[in-house]
Amino acid sequence: MADINTFYAGVTRNDDKLISNGGRIATVVGHAATASQAQETVYEAIDAYTLASC
């Protein structure tokens, strides 16, 4: 997804998956002309993620 950066920490890699070690694991940052456009872009990106066992 364009104009999105995702930073993660507190995870380990298991095969091709990232597995949480606990706590908050991601920060998603959107870049756009306005804050509201960036917020919309971030929410779209979060909806596209798949989180198992939540």
Side-chain angles (χ1 to χ4, degrees):
M1 185 171 280
D3 300 324
I4 289 289
N5 290 49
T6 302
F7 303 95
Y8 58 88
V11 297
T12 59
R13 185 173 295 276
N14 184 357
D15 295 322
D16 64 341
K17 298 178 182 175
L18 297 175
I19 308 297
S20 171
N21 282 335
R24 294 185 178 126
I25 58 167
T27 299
V28 182
V29 179
H31 305 274
T34 67
S36 61
Q37 289 172 336
Q39 181 180 24
E40 184 177 331
T41 302
V42 166
Y43 287 155
E44 289 172 1
I46 291 170
D47 286 342
Y49 290 128
T50 302
L51 301 174
S53 301
C54 292

